Amino acid sequence: MHWSAEPAGVNAILLRFGERMDPALSACIHQLGQRLRACLGDSLLNITPAYTTLLLEYDLRLEDYDSLLARLTPLLNHQPESAPETRSEVIHIPVFYDPHTTGPDLTALAERCQCSVEQLIHLHSSREYRVYALGFAPGFAYMGELDSRLISARRETPRSRVPAGSVAIADNQTAIYPIESPGGWHLLGRTPMKLFNVDADPPALLQPGQAVRFHAVDRDTYLSLGGTL
Amino acid sequence: MNSLHRVLEVLEGGMLSLVEDGGRQHVAHLGLTQGGVMDRHAWAWGNRLLGNHWGEAAIEITIGGFKGCFSQATQIALTGADLNARLNGQPVATWETLTIKAGDLLETGYAAQGLRGYLCVRGGWKTPVGLGNSRSAIVREQLGGQDGLGSPLKAGDQLSYACTRDTDQGRPCSVPAAFRPDYQAPLILDFCDNPASPLPEQLIETLLAQRWTLSSRSNRMAALLDGQPLQVERYPLVSSGVAAGTVQLPPSGQPIILLNERQSIGGYPQPGFVTLRSLDRLAQGRPGEVIQFRRLSLAEAQQQERAFLSFFQRQDQAPIRAI
């Protein structure tokens, strides 16, 4: 994996591995992050994997930029030839897609995509997604890629309150809001699943590289699984 | 030996009072923010005065309006912005230890200069430790703090403090004048270049030469700067992890400086970053205040930060001037 490094903060180094979003690259970067954590131990305070990058925040009492880069270079130049098998269990997410309650953007979006609400739900729930990165909020997983017919820019005006569990799309990605928060993505439905649980290990249900599928469920199933309206 | 229940009962939470420490570690990959005290300088001095270990939690009081009652004797220190505090009605000094008796009432007024005051207690505030080995309250994430839900302090909250013997008061101490910042001095932020930035050099020169003002829309996530907008092209950037101090230039051309509660990843072009020591000072900046940048090399910035950390994290803390 080709790489480059740059200073991204007084105690931060950003490693770049490419320019294009690619689920396989995200999975490799996630695994590399775990490897670096094991190799560099106490020197690292935080590792943030994203689509094409790894941000390392380090303890300046133990390392400076040059010393850390010197330690990273052999580790990055001698990566395992092929990425370890990333085949993980697919996580199935039940979603109640409903234009009247959980999916307030379904109707407008279907119009824009020139399809019916049913087709739109089918397009969203009929493919497997991969988690690229976590960010924005605890356990918020950016997943891709959407069917090209569903690609649409974010809402002009973000909502100040998006309910927890909301399943949403924007650009060529989909995500689930783990907690109630502001948000500018288009809301299609809601899942009763808990995406972030402080007491679980790890607390985030989804990890980069994880395979995910959405399944449409009816109102009764949604409610019986603990969903709220 | 009776078991003493040592709590500070909050009578008024004020504008925004939060339990904060050094922030979380090893959780950014879960999408969690860092959090922690905005002004480490004032916080670290507060703990140092009381002989506390580095990293003990403090109450960060923004603007003021905080009121609380101590159930048992202890020692406290107020550092950072002078909130015009009174102890049982009598004005008290900042940047020095204060002796507390059982039943003492502490009430702050409002900051005339600076923005955030720190209330440290001997032994530290013993609120629950949450994710990332931190006690910090993160309102946006509904995590951490005294209730584990990130809530700001409010009337009725009870904060435990460490159990020390009544005789174990600690000697009175005060921060030397040279280490007490002047919050009326011009706010100048040390800026380090990111040599890999896609932004043209001319644009960065303009950013550094211009005077900016701190927007009132700033919060614990980011400091927003207002001024003559920079002409920023749109860059098709893929989001990446962002560190504290990162300067971002969104299409509006108004710079954003990312702070402790930033989102863990971001996608605007970055000319470089501001030092963590400058963020400590920026934490005391008030809306409308003028901000300017000056260049510093990465090596100097790292040296400066390391000097700060080693001063406060030395095992054998050098004695400080007794009052």
PDB file of all heavy atoms in Angstrom, chain A residues 40-74:
ATOM      1  N   LEU A  40       3.003   0.379  18.457  1.00  0.00           N
ATOM      2  CA  LEU A  40       3.484   1.652  19.003  1.00  0.00           C
ATOM      3  C   LEU A  40       3.004   1.910  20.422  1.00  0.00           C
ATOM      4  O   LEU A  40       3.482   2.820  21.094  1.00  0.00           O
ATOM      5  CB  LEU A  40       3.068   2.811  18.084  1.00  0.00           C
ATOM      6  CG  LEU A  40       3.638   2.715  16.664  1.00  0.00           C
ATOM      7  CD1 LEU A  40       3.048   3.781  15.766  1.00  0.00           C
ATOM      8  CD2 LEU A  40       5.162   2.834  16.683  1.00  0.00           C
ATOM      9  N   GLY A  41       2.050   1.118  20.867  1.00  0.00           N
ATOM     10  CA  GLY A  41       1.615   1.139  22.272  1.00  0.00           C
ATOM     11  C   GLY A  41       1.353   2.521  22.829  1.00  0.00           C
ATOM     12  O   GLY A  41       0.564   3.292  22.280  1.00  0.00           O
ATOM     13  N   ASP A  42       2.053   2.831  23.939  1.00  0.00           N
ATOM     14  CA  ASP A  42       1.781   4.050  24.691  1.00  0.00           C
ATOM     15  C   ASP A  42       2.054   5.332  23.920  1.00  0.00           C
ATOM     16  O   ASP A  42       1.593   6.398  24.310  1.00  0.00           O
ATOM     17  CB  ASP A  42       2.647   4.078  25.961  1.00  0.00           C
ATOM     18  CG  ASP A  42       2.157   3.070  26.983  1.00  0.00           C
ATOM     19  OD1 ASP A  42       1.012   2.604  26.824  1.00  0.00           O
ATOM     20  OD2 ASP A  42       2.911   2.759  27.917  1.00  0.00           O
ATOM     21  N   SER A  43       2.829   5.244  22.836  1.00  0.00           N
ATOM     22  CA  SER A  43       3.133   6.464  22.092  1.00  0.00           C
ATOM     23  C   SER A  43       1.894   7.057  21.442  1.00  0.00           C
ATOM     24  O   SER A  43       1.860   8.240  21.137  1.00  0.00           O
ATOM     25  CB  SER A  43       4.164   6.170  20.990  1.00  0.00           C
ATOM     26  OG  SER A  43       5.381   5.832  21.583  1.00  0.00           O
ATOM     27  N   LEU A  44       0.879   6.228  21.201  1.00  0.00           N
ATOM     28  CA  LEU A  44      -0.315   6.703  20.504  1.00  0.00           C
ATOM     29  C   LEU A  44      -1.435   7.021  21.490  1.00  0.00           C
ATOM     30  O   LEU A  44      -1.717   6.246  22.401  1.00  0.00           O
ATOM     31  CB  LEU A  44      -0.810   5.651  19.508  1.00  0.00           C
ATOM     32  CG  LEU A  44       0.155   5.315  18.368  1.00  0.00           C
ATOM     33  CD1 LEU A  44      -0.490   4.332  17.408  1.00  0.00           C
ATOM     34  CD2 LEU A  44       0.571   6.574  17.626  1.00  0.00           C
ATOM     35  N   LEU A  45      -2.064   8.172  21.291  1.00  0.00           N
ATOM     36  CA  LEU A  45      -3.184   8.578  22.144  1.00  0.00           C
ATOM     37  C   LEU A  45      -4.509   8.296  21.460  1.00  0.00           C
ATOM     38  O   LEU A  45      -5.523   8.069  22.107  1.00  0.00           O
ATOM     39  CB  LEU A  45      -3.095  10.079  22.450  1.00  0.00           C
ATOM     40  CG  LEU A  45      -1.811  10.559  23.109  1.00  0.00           C
ATOM     41  CD1 LEU A  45      -1.832  12.073  23.276  1.00  0.00           C
ATOM     42  CD2 LEU A  45      -1.632   9.872  24.456  1.00  0.00           C
ATOM     43  N   ASN A  46      -4.528   8.333  20.144  1.00  0.00           N
ATOM     44  CA  ASN A  46      -5.758   8.149  19.378  1.00  0.00           C
ATOM     45  C   ASN A  46      -5.390   7.759  17.958  1.00  0.00           C
ATOM     46  O   ASN A  46      -4.409   8.277  17.410  1.00  0.00           O
ATOM     47  CB  ASN A  46      -6.544   9.476  19.311  1.00  0.00           C
ATOM     48  CG  ASN A  46      -7.806   9.428  20.149  1.00  0.00           C
ATOM     49  OD1 ASN A  46      -8.502   8.390  20.198  1.00  0.00           O
ATOM     50  ND2 ASN A  46      -8.120  10.524  20.793  1.00  0.00           N
ATOM     51  N   ILE A  47      -6.176   6.865  17.387  1.00  0.00           N
ATOM     52  CA  ILE A  47      -5.989   6.503  15.986  1.00  0.00           C
ATOM     53  C   ILE A  47      -7.345   6.683  15.316  1.00  0.00           C
ATOM     54  O   ILE A  47      -8.327   6.101  15.748  1.00  0.00           O
ATOM     55  CB  ILE A  47      -5.562   5.034  15.834  1.00  0.00           C
ATOM     56  CG1 ILE A  47      -4.254   4.792  16.574  1.00  0.00           C
ATOM     57  CG2 ILE A  47      -5.430   4.658  14.367  1.00  0.00           C
ATOM     58  CD1 ILE A  47      -3.710   3.398  16.398  1.00  0.00           C
ATOM     59  N   THR A  48      -7.406   7.501  14.278  1.00  0.00           N
ATOM     60  CA  THR A  48      -8.671   7.729  13.597  1.00  0.00           C
ATOM     61  C   THR A  48      -8.565   7.266  12.150  1.00  0.00           C
ATOM     62  O   THR A  48      -8.013   7.972  11.305  1.00  0.00           O
ATOM     63  CB  THR A  48      -9.048   9.226  13.616  1.00  0.00           C
ATOM     64  OG1 THR A  48      -8.794   9.746  14.917  1.00  0.00           O
ATOM     65  CG2 THR A  48     -10.508   9.424  13.259  1.00  0.00           C
ATOM     66  N   PRO A  49      -9.085   6.067  11.851  1.00  0.00           N
ATOM     67  CA  PRO A  49      -9.099   5.640  10.455  1.00  0.00           C
ATOM     68  C   PRO A  49     -10.243   6.331   9.716  1.00  0.00           C
ATOM     69  O   PRO A  49     -11.309   6.527  10.285  1.00  0.00           O
ATOM     70  CB  PRO A  49      -9.347   4.123  10.532  1.00  0.00           C
ATOM     71  CG  PRO A  49      -9.921   3.864  11.878  1.00  0.00           C
ATOM     72  CD  PRO A  49      -9.702   5.075  12.748  1.00  0.00           C
ATOM     73  N   ALA A  50      -9.995   6.721   8.474  1.00  0.00           N
ATOM     74  CA  ALA A  50     -11.080   7.254   7.645  1.00  0.00           C
ATOM     75  C   ALA A  50     -10.980   6.576   6.278  1.00  0.00           C
ATOM     76  O   ALA A  50     -10.323   5.556   6.146  1.00  0.00           O
ATOM     77  CB  ALA A  50     -10.983   8.766   7.556  1.00  0.00           C
ATOM     78  N   TYR A  51     -11.620   7.133   5.273  1.00  0.00           N
ATOM     79  CA  TYR A  51     -11.719   6.483   3.964  1.00  0.00           C
ATOM     80  C   TYR A  51     -10.361   6.101   3.378  1.00  0.00           C
ATOM     81  O   TYR A  51     -10.144   4.994   2.924  1.00  0.00           O
ATOM     82  CB  TYR A  51     -12.415   7.407   2.972  1.00  0.00           C
ATOM     83  CG  TYR A  51     -13.782   7.825   3.394  1.00  0.00           C
ATOM     84  CD1 TYR A  51     -13.988   8.984   4.128  1.00  0.00           C
ATOM     85  CD2 TYR A  51     -14.895   7.050   3.049  1.00  0.00           C
ATOM     86  CE1 TYR A  51     -15.250   9.370   4.513  1.00  0.00           C
ATOM     87  CE2 TYR A  51     -16.167   7.433   3.442  1.00  0.00           C
ATOM     88  CZ  TYR A  51     -16.336   8.602   4.169  1.00  0.00           C
ATOM     89  OH  TYR A  51     -17.591   8.972   4.554  1.00  0.00           O
ATOM     90  N   THR A  52      -9.433   7.071   3.377  1.00  0.00           N
ATOM     91  CA  THR A  52      -8.143   6.867   2.696  1.00  0.00           C
ATOM     92  C   THR A  52      -6.967   7.220   3.604  1.00  0.00           C
ATOM     93  O   THR A  52      -5.842   7.303   3.153  1.00  0.00           O
ATOM     94  CB  THR A  52      -8.054   7.760   1.438  1.00  0.00           C
ATOM     95  OG1 THR A  52      -8.201   9.130   1.857  1.00  0.00           O
ATOM     96  CG2 THR A  52      -9.164   7.450   0.448  1.00  0.00           C
ATOM     97  N   THR A  53      -7.260   7.492   4.876  1.00  0.00           N
ATOM     98  CA  THR A  53      -6.227   8.042   5.771  1.00  0.00           C
ATOM     99  C   THR A  53      -6.269   7.407   7.153  1.00  0.00           C
ATOM    100  O   THR A  53      -7.274   6.819   7.548  1.00  0.00           O
ATOM    101  CB  THR A  53      -6.442   9.560   5.961  1.00  0.00           C
ATOM    102  OG1 THR A  53      -7.782   9.759   6.413  1.00  0.00           O
ATOM    103  CG2 THR A  53      -6.210  10.342   4.687  1.00  0.00           C
ATOM    104  N   LEU A  54      -5.180   7.593   7.865  1.00  0.00           N
ATOM    105  CA  LEU A  54      -5.111   7.263   9.296  1.00  0.00           C
ATOM    106  C   LEU A  54      -4.542   8.478   9.998  1.00  0.00           C
ATOM    107  O   LEU A  54      -3.463   8.946   9.634  1.00  0.00           O
ATOM    108  CB  LEU A  54      -4.137   6.111   9.527  1.00  0.00           C
ATOM    109  CG  LEU A  54      -4.600   4.695   9.788  1.00  0.00           C
ATOM    110  CD1 LEU A  54      -3.379   3.839  10.094  1.00  0.00           C
ATOM    111  CD2 LEU A  54      -5.604   4.601  10.897  1.00  0.00           C
ATOM    112  N   LEU A  55      -5.259   8.987  10.984  1.00  0.00           N
ATOM    113  CA  LEU A  55      -4.716  10.081  11.792  1.00  0.00           C
ATOM    114  C   LEU A  55      -4.186   9.474  13.082  1.00  0.00           C
ATOM    115  O   LEU A  55      -4.908   8.755  13.769  1.00  0.00           O
ATOM    116  CB  LEU A  55      -5.800  11.106  12.107  1.00  0.00           C
ATOM    117  CG  LEU A  55      -5.318  12.282  12.978  1.00  0.00           C
ATOM    118  CD1 LEU A  55      -4.556  13.289  12.124  1.00  0.00           C
ATOM    119  CD2 LEU A  55      -6.481  12.967  13.675  1.00  0.00           C
ATOM    120  N   LEU A  56      -2.923   9.751  13.390  1.00  0.00           N
ATOM    121  CA  LEU A  56      -2.340   9.280  14.638  1.00  0.00           C
ATOM    122  C   LEU A  56      -2.052  10.485  15.519  1.00  0.00           C
ATOM    123  O   LEU A  56      -1.328  11.390  15.114  1.00  0.00           O
ATOM    124  CB  LEU A  56      -1.027   8.529  14.387  1.00  0.00           C
ATOM    125  CG  LEU A  56      -1.019   7.413  13.343  1.00  0.00           C
ATOM    126  CD1 LEU A  56       0.378   6.800  13.250  1.00  0.00           C
ATOM    127  CD2 LEU A  56      -2.040   6.348  13.685  1.00  0.00           C
ATOM    128  N   GLU A  57      -2.636  10.500  16.712  1.00  0.00           N
ATOM    129  CA  GLU A  57      -2.292  11.526  17.696  1.00  0.00           C
ATOM    130  C   GLU A  57      -1.359  10.864  18.692  1.00  0.00           C
ATOM    131  O   GLU A  57      -1.653   9.766  19.166  1.00  0.00           O
ATOM    132  CB  GLU A  57      -3.545  12.066  18.365  1.00  0.00           C
ATOM    133  CG  GLU A  57      -4.384  12.903  17.402  1.00  0.00           C
ATOM    134  CD  GLU A  57      -5.795  13.129  17.900  1.00  0.00           C
ATOM    135  OE1 GLU A  57      -6.660  12.290  17.596  1.00  0.00           O
ATOM    136  OE2 GLU A  57      -6.030  14.119  18.592  1.00  0.00           O
ATOM    137  N   TYR A  58      -0.228  11.502  18.997  1.00  0.00           N
ATOM    138  CA  TYR A  58       0.797  10.825  19.785  1.00  0.00           C
ATOM    139  C   TYR A  58       1.211  11.626  21.006  1.00  0.00           C
ATOM    140  O   TYR A  58       0.944  12.825  21.111  1.00  0.00           O
ATOM    141  CB  TYR A  58       2.005  10.476  18.914  1.00  0.00           C
ATOM    142  CG  TYR A  58       2.575  11.622  18.100  1.00  0.00           C
ATOM    143  CD1 TYR A  58       3.646  12.370  18.570  1.00  0.00           C
ATOM    144  CD2 TYR A  58       2.040  11.946  16.861  1.00  0.00           C
ATOM    145  CE1 TYR A  58       4.179  13.407  17.828  1.00  0.00           C
ATOM    146  CE2 TYR A  58       2.566  12.998  16.108  1.00  0.00           C
ATOM    147  CZ  TYR A  58       3.629  13.722  16.599  1.00  0.00           C
ATOM    148  OH  TYR A  58       4.144  14.750  15.859  1.00  0.00           O
ATOM    149  N   ASP A  59       1.861  10.927  21.925  1.00  0.00           N
ATOM    150  CA  ASP A  59       2.286  11.518  23.186  1.00  0.00           C
ATOM    151  C   ASP A  59       3.641  12.198  22.982  1.00  0.00           C
ATOM    152  O   ASP A  59       4.652  11.530  22.784  1.00  0.00           O
ATOM    153  CB  ASP A  59       2.385  10.421  24.248  1.00  0.00           C
ATOM    154  CG  ASP A  59       2.614  10.990  25.633  1.00  0.00           C
ATOM    155  OD1 ASP A  59       3.091  12.141  25.732  1.00  0.00           O
ATOM    156  OD2 ASP A  59       2.314  10.287  26.613  1.00  0.00           O
ATOM    157  N   LEU A  60       3.634  13.524  23.045  1.00  0.00           N
ATOM    158  CA  LEU A  60       4.846  14.289  22.757  1.00  0.00           C
ATOM    159  C   LEU A  60       5.941  14.085  23.792  1.00  0.00           C
ATOM    160  O   LEU A  60       7.084  14.437  23.559  1.00  0.00           O
ATOM    161  CB  LEU A  60       4.510  15.780  22.658  1.00  0.00           C
ATOM    162  CG  LEU A  60       4.168  16.287  21.258  1.00  0.00           C
ATOM    163  CD1 LEU A  60       3.716  17.730  21.327  1.00  0.00           C
ATOM    164  CD2 LEU A  60       5.371  16.163  20.334  1.00  0.00           C
ATOM    165  N   ARG A  61       5.582  13.505  24.920  1.00  0.00           N
ATOM    166  CA  ARG A  61       6.633  13.229  25.905  1.00  0.00           C
ATOM    167  C   ARG A  61       7.483  12.044  25.445  1.00  0.00           C
ATOM    168  O   ARG A  61       8.590  11.855  25.897  1.00  0.00           O
ATOM    169  CB  ARG A  61       6.027  12.942  27.274  1.00  0.00           C
ATOM    170  CG  ARG A  61       5.322  14.164  27.884  1.00  0.00           C
ATOM    171  CD  ARG A  61       4.514  13.739  29.085  1.00  0.00           C
ATOM    172  NE  ARG A  61       3.636  12.628  28.732  1.00  0.00           N
ATOM    173  CZ  ARG A  61       3.044  11.841  29.605  1.00  0.00           C
ATOM    174  NH1 ARG A  61       3.238  12.019  30.888  1.00  0.00           N
ATOM    175  NH2 ARG A  61       2.242  10.877  29.200  1.00  0.00           N
ATOM    176  N   LEU A  62       6.899  11.204  24.564  1.00  0.00           N
ATOM    177  CA  LEU A  62       7.595   9.997  24.123  1.00  0.00           C
ATOM    178  C   LEU A  62       8.122  10.103  22.694  1.00  0.00           C
ATOM    179  O   LEU A  62       9.096   9.439  22.339  1.00  0.00           O
ATOM    180  CB  LEU A  62       6.651   8.784  24.221  1.00  0.00           C
ATOM    181  CG  LEU A  62       6.047   8.539  25.606  1.00  0.00           C
ATOM    182  CD1 LEU A  62       5.041   7.402  25.573  1.00  0.00           C
ATOM    183  CD2 LEU A  62       7.151   8.238  26.611  1.00  0.00           C
ATOM    184  N   GLU A  63       7.448  10.884  21.857  1.00  0.00           N
ATOM    185  CA  GLU A  63       7.824  10.966  20.445  1.00  0.00           C
ATOM    186  C   GLU A  63       7.692  12.404  19.959  1.00  0.00           C
ATOM    187  O   GLU A  63       6.881  13.155  20.479  1.00  0.00           O
ATOM    188  CB  GLU A  63       6.868  10.130  19.567  1.00  0.00           C
ATOM    189  CG  GLU A  63       6.714   8.679  19.960  1.00  0.00           C
ATOM    190  CD  GLU A  63       7.889   7.822  19.523  1.00  0.00           C
ATOM    191  OE1 GLU A  63       8.747   8.326  18.759  1.00  0.00           O
ATOM    192  OE2 GLU A  63       7.948   6.660  19.960  1.00  0.00           O
ATOM    193  N   ASP A  64       8.484  12.751  18.932  1.00  0.00           N
ATOM    194  CA  ASP A  64       8.166  13.952  18.172  1.00  0.00           C
ATOM    195  C   ASP A  64       7.889  13.509  16.728  1.00  0.00           C
ATOM    196  O   ASP A  64       7.917  12.305  16.443  1.00  0.00           O
ATOM    197  CB  ASP A  64       9.267  15.019  18.267  1.00  0.00           C
ATOM    198  CG  ASP A  64      10.594  14.562  17.709  1.00  0.00           C
ATOM    199  OD1 ASP A  64      10.608  13.573  16.951  1.00  0.00           O
ATOM    200  OD2 ASP A  64      11.613  15.197  18.015  1.00  0.00           O
ATOM    201  N   TYR A  65       7.609  14.464  15.855  1.00  0.00           N
ATOM    202  CA  TYR A  65       7.200  14.096  14.497  1.00  0.00           C
ATOM    203  C   TYR A  65       8.254  13.216  13.825  1.00  0.00           C
ATOM    204  O   TYR A  65       7.936  12.169  13.249  1.00  0.00           O
ATOM    205  CB  TYR A  65       6.950  15.365  13.667  1.00  0.00           C
ATOM    206  CG  TYR A  65       6.418  15.081  12.287  1.00  0.00           C
ATOM    207  CD1 TYR A  65       5.067  14.832  12.081  1.00  0.00           C
ATOM    208  CD2 TYR A  65       7.274  15.032  11.181  1.00  0.00           C
ATOM    209  CE1 TYR A  65       4.573  14.547  10.819  1.00  0.00           C
ATOM    210  CE2 TYR A  65       6.791  14.747   9.914  1.00  0.00           C
ATOM    211  CZ  TYR A  65       5.430  14.509   9.742  1.00  0.00           C
ATOM    212  OH  TYR A  65       4.952  14.224   8.489  1.00  0.00           O
ATOM    213  N   ASP A  66       9.512  13.624  13.928  1.00  0.00           N
ATOM    214  CA  ASP A  66      10.572  12.894  13.219  1.00  0.00           C
ATOM    215  C   ASP A  66      10.796  11.494  13.794  1.00  0.00           C
ATOM    216  O   ASP A  66      10.970  10.533  13.055  1.00  0.00           O
ATOM    217  CB  ASP A  66      11.887  13.693  13.266  1.00  0.00           C
ATOM    218  CG  ASP A  66      11.771  14.993  12.475  1.00  0.00           C
ATOM    219  OD1 ASP A  66      10.970  15.021  11.513  1.00  0.00           O
ATOM    220  OD2 ASP A  66      12.452  15.967  12.823  1.00  0.00           O
ATOM    221  N   SER A  67      10.770  11.389  15.118  1.00  0.00           N
ATOM    222  CA  SER A  67      11.026  10.071  15.712  1.00  0.00           C
ATOM    223  C   SER A  67       9.872   9.118  15.411  1.00  0.00           C
ATOM    224  O   SER A  67      10.085   7.932  15.154  1.00  0.00           O
ATOM    225  CB  SER A  67      11.256  10.204  17.225  1.00  0.00           C
ATOM    226  OG  SER A  67      10.037  10.488  17.891  1.00  0.00           O
ATOM    227  N   LEU A  68       8.639   9.648  15.418  1.00  0.00           N
ATOM    228  CA  LEU A  68       7.502   8.776  15.129  1.00  0.00           C
ATOM    229  C   LEU A  68       7.541   8.324  13.669  1.00  0.00           C
ATOM    230  O   LEU A  68       7.308   7.150  13.361  1.00  0.00           O
ATOM    231  CB  LEU A  68       6.179   9.486  15.429  1.00  0.00           C
ATOM    232  CG  LEU A  68       4.952   8.580  15.286  1.00  0.00           C
ATOM    233  CD1 LEU A  68       4.948   7.483  16.354  1.00  0.00           C
ATOM    234  CD2 LEU A  68       3.657   9.370  15.371  1.00  0.00           C
ATOM    235  N   LEU A  69       7.861   9.260  12.788  1.00  0.00           N
ATOM    236  CA  LEU A  69       7.925   8.910  11.361  1.00  0.00           C
ATOM    237  C   LEU A  69       8.999   7.839  11.131  1.00  0.00           C
ATOM    238  O   LEU A  69       8.800   6.902  10.346  1.00  0.00           O
ATOM    239  CB  LEU A  69       8.226  10.173  10.536  1.00  0.00           C
ATOM    240  CG  LEU A  69       8.117  10.029   9.025  1.00  0.00           C
ATOM    241  CD1 LEU A  69       6.733   9.523   8.614  1.00  0.00           C
ATOM    242  CD2 LEU A  69       8.400  11.367   8.336  1.00  0.00           C
ATOM    243  N   ALA A  70      10.115   7.962  11.869  1.00  0.00           N
ATOM    244  CA  ALA A  70      11.181   6.961  11.732  1.00  0.00           C
ATOM    245  C   ALA A  70      10.704   5.585  12.198  1.00  0.00           C
ATOM    246  O   ALA A  70      11.075   4.564  11.623  1.00  0.00           O
ATOM    247  CB  ALA A  70      12.407   7.406  12.529  1.00  0.00           C
ATOM    248  N   ARG A  71       9.870   5.548  13.220  1.00  0.00           N
ATOM    249  CA  ARG A  71       9.352   4.261  13.692  1.00  0.00           C
ATOM    250  C   ARG A  71       8.275   3.723  12.750  1.00  0.00           C
ATOM    251  O   ARG A  71       8.135   2.510  12.591  1.00  0.00           O
ATOM    252  CB  ARG A  71       8.751   4.414  15.093  1.00  0.00           C
ATOM    253  CG  ARG A  71       9.781   4.576  16.192  1.00  0.00           C
ATOM    254  CD  ARG A  71       9.137   4.610  17.551  1.00  0.00           C
ATOM    255  NE  ARG A  71       8.612   3.293  17.954  1.00  0.00           N
ATOM    256  CZ  ARG A  71       7.903   3.090  19.057  1.00  0.00           C
ATOM    257  NH1 ARG A  71       7.606   4.108  19.847  1.00  0.00           N
ATOM    258  NH2 ARG A  71       7.474   1.889  19.368  1.00  0.00           N
ATOM    259  N   LEU A  72       7.509   4.652  12.147  1.00  0.00           N
ATOM    260  CA  LEU A  72       6.413   4.226  11.267  1.00  0.00           C
ATOM    261  C   LEU A  72       6.914   3.678   9.937  1.00  0.00           C
ATOM    262  O   LEU A  72       6.336   2.741   9.382  1.00  0.00           O
ATOM    263  CB  LEU A  72       5.476   5.409  10.977  1.00  0.00           C
ATOM    264  CG  LEU A  72       4.518   5.824  12.081  1.00  0.00           C
ATOM    265  CD1 LEU A  72       3.872   7.173  11.742  1.00  0.00           C
ATOM    266  CD2 LEU A  72       3.426   4.759  12.259  1.00  0.00           C
ATOM    267  N   THR A  73       8.010   4.277   9.439  1.00  0.00           N
ATOM    268  CA  THR A  73       8.461   3.950   8.080  1.00  0.00           C
ATOM    269  C   THR A  73       8.651   2.448   7.834  1.00  0.00           C
ATOM    270  O   THR A  73       8.052   1.909   6.907  1.00  0.00           O
ATOM    271  CB  THR A  73       9.722   4.760   7.737  1.00  0.00           C
ATOM    272  OG1 THR A  73       9.386   6.155   7.858  1.00  0.00           O
ATOM    273  CG2 THR A  73      10.197   4.489   6.327  1.00  0.00           C
ATOM    274  N   PRO A  74       9.436   1.742   8.681  1.00  0.00           N
ATOM    275  CA  PRO A  74       9.561   0.299   8.413  1.00  0.00           C
ATOM    276  C   PRO A  74       8.236  -0.446   8.541  1.00  0.00           C
ATOM    277  O   PRO A  74       7.975  -1.386   7.783  1.00  0.00           O
ATOM    278  CB  PRO A  74      10.571  -0.172   9.470  1.00  0.00           C
ATOM    279  CG  PRO A  74      10.637   0.904  10.494  1.00  0.00           C
ATOM    280  CD  PRO A  74      10.256   2.177   9.820  1.00  0.00           C
TER     281      PRO A  74
END
